[in-house]
Amino acid sequence: MMKPTLKKVAIYTLGAFSGIALSLSVQSFAAGKEKKDEPFPVQSIRAIAEVYGQIKANYYQDKADSELFEGAMKGMVGGLDPHSEYMDKKGYADLKESTKGEFGGLGMEIGQEDGFVKVVAPIEDTPAERAGVKSGDFIVKINNESTRGMTVSQAVKKMRGKPGTKITLTLSRKNADKPIVVNLTRAIIKVKSVRHHLLEPGYGYIRITQFQEQTVEALNKAAQDLIKQNKGPLKGIILDLRDDPGGLLNSAVGISAAFLKDNAPVVSTKGRDGKAGMSLKATPEDYTIFGESDPLTGLPQELKTIPMTVLINAGSASASEIVSGALQDHKRAVIVGTQSFGKGSVQTVIPLSNGTAMKITTALYYTPNDRSIQAQGIVPDVEVKDKERTYESREADLVGHIGNPLGGEDVNSSNEDAADRVTVEAKKPKTDKEKEEDIIARRTPNPAKDDQLRKALELVKDPAQWQKSLGLAAKKPVVKKDKKDDKDDDK
């Protein structure tokens, strides 16, 4: 186990495709110390120098050395896995800005797949959401410029800008006959990460859209406000993590701590060759940073004991999976919905001497029961499909993704049984009024129109059934990889 002071390093993670661990105090380190006897790759270095020389001598344009070397670094880091990336100064600044919960732009979490920029999830009440941008959309053009081969940082740079300025995105959507063109106006994006609602007397609902610096404190305030609205203690609570792409790891630990017993294990990491890394628990020491006060001070204590359900889907990634995995392992909550995204890798951002940074995968996350989330995700105890979602994209769909270290079949979109897929019927385009009603419905929870939420509410209202449903997913057998298929893949 790492010393407490070291646990404050590298405890940030942003989910789905662009998982991030921000660790400003981490300096460059020698990753290969244990392999001192490995020969220096002289031939490879010579080949790189030869490529550089040929470009300088024969390319039709004269390229600056800085541009060539930056391209080489991007290729070196970006080729490791879907979440590793070299960031220039602007990209690094944008990353740090995004964790604050306020920035200028369109309001969506994006990643990369098959050489194109892909929408992980639009952020609530932003230009992107109001324009109808959906999770799973590919952004194929930004202002008529193709995004093929464009990095996430480059796409972010092009989409962010001065509030009030216009931008046009061309989207490719699953089951759409032709590209979708949307015109948006940039705005200051102030992400409200926690929303709450009293569903009915005694039963509260809290939604987390992203794990940010103030999320733990905001959850505490939301819980206190729900009790005030209820005019007394709550009988049950629903935590909605659907389409939450992740965020800061210390916030994920803090949210878990709000519902778990003090000092309960939340998440651990293992690095190269399965070497143990961080081990974080439900204690202020592990979810507060830089000497801040405990954001859970004054938290209503019934949150640690009343029946609780957690809503997840394929858009729930990284930090969302850490929280749902911890609550599931401790049998504190019944997980309801569909299998989560499956991003269980740790990315550490290492600042470089020239003001840039590199984000690389350094470890994998494990739940308290030593389960790996990677490429499999969290399986709900009670599965309830969303009839509106006709296609799901997961970590295992990404080219070059890391497989699950514990074995078992990676879960991607092709794993879904054809019989379980929702048939897409031809429908008339929605009117502007209908689109507006959809947006409002997403912000105001309504069990009558939301099958997953209705089931989650039924469970917390029936303690006996809730108790029976705790940990049901743990009893399901793990689907093992077909060794014959593995051999075939190696050919």
Side-chain angles (χ1 to χ4, degrees), residues 27 38 75 85 98 107 127 144 211 284 311 350 370-371 410 417:
Q27 299 300 319
E38 188 173 295
E85 180 184 6
S98 68
N144 292 320
F211 289 81
L311 289 167
I350 304 173
D370 210 32
R371 295 184 294 153
D410 291 351
D417 293 331

Side-chain angles (χ1 to χ4, degrees), residues 160-199:
R160 286 188 177 177
K162 187 176 180 181
T165 57
K166 307 287 185 181
I167 184 172
T168 300
L169 302 182
T170 303
L171 309 173
S172 174
R173 182 173 297 163
K174 182 84 171 178
N175 299 318
D177 295 333
K178 58 183 180 180
I180 300 167
V181 178
V182 292
N183 298 303
L184 306 96
T185 301
R186 295 182 178 92
I188 292 295
I189 308 300
K190 295 183 178 180
V191 182
K192 185 176 181 180
S193 66
V194 177
R195 298 179 184 276
H196 64 282
H197 190 79
L198 191 66
L199 295 174

Side-chain angles (χ1 to χ4, degrees), residues 269-288:
T269 66
K270 295 179 184 179
R272 185 180 299 182
D273 299 325
K275 185 178 181 180
M278 293 185 295
S279 181
L280 303 175
K281 298 181 179 181
T283 173
E285 177 183 298
D286 286 349
Y287 61 78
T288 58

Side-chain angles (χ1 to χ4, degrees), residues 481-489:
K481 290 181 181 177
D482 189 322
K483 293 184 178 180
K484 181 179 181 298
D485 290 342
D486 288 345
K487 292 178 181 178
D488 290 342
D489 291 341

Side-chain angles (χ1 to χ4, degrees), residues 363-393:
L364 298 180
Y365 288 117
Y366 289 78
T367 70
N369 286 349
D370 210 32
R371 295 184 294 153
S372 171
I373 297 165
Q374 181 60 25
Q376 292 181 352
I378 299 298
V379 177
D381 299 307
V382 177
E383 183 180 49
V384 181
K385 292 185 179 295
D386 183 348
K387 296 177 182 178
E388 295 296 318
R389 297 174 76 99
T390 59
Y391 174 76
E392 301 288 18
S393 179

Side-chain angles (χ1 to χ4, degrees), residues 281-314:
K281 298 181 179 181
T283 173
E285 177 183 298
D286 286 349
Y287 61 78
T288 58
I289 55 175
F290 307 130
E292 65 180 20
S293 58
D294 185 358
L296 291 180
T297 299
L299 180 79
Q301 286 303 297
E302 65 262 30
L303 259 65
K304 295 181 179 293
T305 56
I306 57 176
M308 175 185 184
T309 49
V310 178
L311 289 167
I312 62 171
N313 61 14

Side-chain angles (χ1 to χ4, degrees), residues 66 68-78 85-86 352 354 356:
S66 59
L68 291 176
F69 285 119
E70 185 170 286
M73 288 185 287
K74 286 180 179 178
M76 185 187 300
V77 179
E85 180 184 6
Y86 170 83
L352 302 177
N354 62 352
T356 63

Side-chain angles (χ1 to χ4, degrees), residues 399-416:
V399 176
H401 74 273
I402 299 169
N404 190 282
L406 301 180
E409 184 178 349
D410 291 351
V411 178
N412 56 33
S413 56
S414 65
N415 292 137
E416 298 172 7

